[in-house]
Structure formats: C-alpha cells, structure tokens
Amino acid sequence: MADIIRTLRGKWKYGSLLYRIIFINIAVFILLHAFSLVSGLINSTLAQAMLSKIGLPSSLWQLLMQPWSIITYMFTQYDLFHILFNMVWLYWFGEIFLITDTPKRLTALYFYGGISGGVLFMLAYAVLPVFEHQTGFLIGASASVIAIVAASAILHPDYKVPLFFIGEVPVKWIAIITIAIDFISIGGNNGGGHISHIGGALAGVAYAIAQRRGTDITKPFNRAMDKICNIFGTTDPGNSKKHYQKPAMSVNNTLDSLLDKIRRSGYNSLTIDEKKRLMDLSNELHRRHHKDNV
C-alpha cells in the first residue's frame, strides 16, 4: 500500500498534467460518494443538492448564480461506469494526443471541450422546442474527453488502437462512430448530455484544424494559466530540474524537426520511416521520464 501511495504521489507531483486531470476527477468522485454516505444519515436530499451546485445548470440565470459550475461540472462524475469509461478514454486518447503535442495544450483543450460542450448544452435548452419548459443540469468529463478524442483522430487518423474482439482500429473510425452515436441519441433520455458531447467534439475539431494551419488556439488559456502559476509561485510539471533532464541535443533537434513538419503539413505528411522515428523518440522520452521519477 505504501508503494502504491508513493507512486501515486510521484505521478501527481512530477507526472504529466494528463495524470493530474485524471486524479482530480477520481478525487471528486470519491469525495462526492463520501459526502453522499455521510449526508444520507442526516438528510437524503443533501447529496442531490450538492450535485446541482457543482453541475452545470441549463438556465443562464442559474449559471449567473453559480458561475463556478462551468468548470466544476467537467470534473464531476457520480456513476461508477461513467467515470470509468471517461477516464479510460481520457488516458488512451490523451497518450495519443501527447505523441506530438504538449500536456499544457491537452489541459487547455480539456477545458475548451468542457466549456464548448456546456455552452451548446445551455443553448439547446434555450432554443430547441424539445427542451421547452424543461430544466436540467450537466455533469461529467465526456465533452472534454471527446474534444481530445476528436483532435487526436484528426491529427493521427491512422493511429491504431486495439479493441477487444475486434482487433486494431484506426482512431478516426472510433471518433466518427462515437460522434455518430451522439447525434443519433439526441432524441433519447440524455439528449442534453449528447448535445454537450457534440460541443466538445467541435472544440477538438477546431483545435486540430488550427494546429494543421500553424495556429495554436490554446495560447490565450496557457498564458493566463502561466500568470496564475507565477502569482502563486507554482511551476508546471516538467520544469523541475531535479526530476527532468533535458534530452540529448540530437534527440531534441530531430523531434523538433518532425513536430514542425506535422504542424505544417499534418501527421500523414510523414514518411513511414519518419513515423517510426517519431514513435521511437516518444518511447525514449517516456522511458527517461519514468527513470527520472522512480
């Protein structure tokens, strides 16, 4: 148990921002259920009231009363299978995203996807007749996760993921099928949730298209976060000289060259040898990262 705690602490303190996002989601899930267990002994409605305060309301007026919920909702899951599915997908596609991109951009896209999904959710309740005279609230990381799925599918369309009983499937088909299911499911019981997923996907598509054109739409977010970190005297994971060493110059230059080519022309512009070289470099950096954090 002590080894597990030590490993988790190391992942949080020195690991990628991807791990931090996953840990925050899990921590909120555990805290919610602990609160639900304790409050159930006092008042069975307290847990639902708590969810409504950190979940995103469908009403703009109510959002003005709890503006924090546009952020808190995307870290909140209450159902076990909901958080399990979201975190597995976030880990899988987050790792694919990080093959050629940075943890800071992944974090920014997570927030962009959540905000985009939340805005589309509220807009749907405001203008679509099917939601007339209805209210609701939204929880879950799904819109944020699907933003990363969509971006990864555009930037690495032919990257294959092994699926049980099916075999290796290119991520572009996983993304297409997932988004198609959301469109089909809009008329169901969780129509607002599926609409938010589409909003998240749109954020991922916008990010990937901008990246291919050489524009980083996450810069405003990351500049703001850097200023906040400077105010509180914190640093980003990876900046610690004690735990991360700069890769050898040859590795660094080769990686920069490949990433520049991807930013200019897309992942598919790489030759087979260049794709293999990129994967080898990525694995090498992961090995060094693990060695430095043991």
Side-chain angles (χ1 to χ4, degrees):
M1 179 61 73
D3 289 340
I4 295 175
I5 294 175
R6 192 181 303 113
T7 299
L8 292 176
R9 187 182 300 156
K11 289 291 186 181
W12 169 262
K13 191 172 183 180
Y14 306 116
S16 165
L17 288 167
L18 172 62
Y19 292 111
R20 291 191 175 189
I21 294 173
I22 293 173
F23 287 170
I24 291 172
N25 274 275
I26 294 173
V28 172
F29 175 82
I30 293 172
L31 289 173
L32 276 175
H33 279 271
F35 178 81
S36 178
L37 179 62
V38 174
S39 64
L41 302 175
I42 305 170
N43 188 331
S44 60
T45 64
L46 286 178
Q48 188 66 22
M50 171 65 78
L51 279 176
S52 67
K53 289 300 181 183
I54 60 178
L56 180 68
S58 58
S59 165
L60 178 59
W61 174 252
Q62 191 174 349
L63 176 63
L64 295 176
M65 298 296 101
Q66 51 185 75
W68 59 83
S69 61
I70 190 66
I71 301 300
T72 56
Y73 100 88
M74 67 182 78
F75 293 95
T76 305
Q77 281 97 178
Y78 195 76
D79 181 75
L80 176 61
F81 288 102
H82 190 195
I83 188 172
L84 181 62
F85 182 84
N86 277 341
M87 294 305 100
V88 168
W89 272 53
L90 176 58
Y91 176 77
W92 282 349
F93 286 92
E95 289 289 339
I96 296 171
F97 183 91
L98 292 175
I99 290 174
T100 57
D101 226 315
T102 67
K104 289 178 68 173
R105 288 178 183 165
L106 181 143
T107 303
L109 183 56
Y110 184 94
F111 280 91
Y112 282 6
I115 293 171
S116 178
V119 169
L120 196 61
F121 166 78
M122 296 182 66
L123 186 62
Y125 268 84
V127 303
L128 294 182
V130 69
F131 296 115
E132 191 175 4
H133 306 305
Q134 295 186 33
T135 59
F137 68 92
L138 182 68
I139 61 172
S142 298
S144 299
V145 173
I146 289 180
I148 295 170
V149 171
S152 299
I154 293 175
L155 296 173
H156 311 289
D158 298 319
Y159 188 96
K160 294 183 178 179
V161 176
L163 297 180
F164 292 117
F165 307 116
I166 297 177
E168 294 187 338
V169 179
V171 295
K172 62 184 176 184
W173 292 114
I174 296 176
I176 289 171
I177 293 172
T178 300
I179 296 171
I181 291 174
D182 281 318
F183 271 107
I184 295 171
S185 303
I186 288 177
N189 295 331
N190 188 30
H194 290 290
I195 288 174
S196 76
H197 298 175
I198 295 170
L202 290 175
V205 170
Y207 171 84
I209 292 175
Q211 279 292 95
R212 284 192 163 184
R213 294 176 178 175
T215 302
D216 178 14
I217 65 174
T218 67
K219 279 186 177 179
F221 177 91
N222 285 323
R223 277 198 295 264
M225 293 305 297
D226 287 341
K227 290 180 180 178
I228 293 173
C229 289
N230 289 335
I231 291 173
F232 290 97
T234 58
T235 57
D236 295 322
N239 287 345
S240 171
K241 294 180 180 179
K242 180 178 179 181
H243 294 277
Y244 282 84
Q245 298 177 355
K246 186 176 180 181
M249 188 60 68
S250 60
V251 173
N252 203 39
N253 289 341
T254 304
L255 183 59
D256 287 344
S257 176
L258 292 173
L259 294 180
D260 284 340
K261 184 173 181 179
I262 292 172
R263 279 191 284 269
R264 289 194 308 269
S265 308
Y267 179 77
N268 287 335
S269 65
L270 299 181
T271 66
I272 295 176
D273 288 339
E274 287 174 332
K275 289 179 180 178
K276 184 178 183 302
R277 180 60 175 157
L278 179 63
M279 184 62 67
D280 290 341
L281 290 173
S282 177
N283 291 335
E284 174 65 19
L285 291 176
H286 276 292
R287 281 194 296 270
R288 292 184 182 188
H289 167 82
H290 176 73
K291 180 180 178 181
D292 289 339
N293 286 282
V294 171

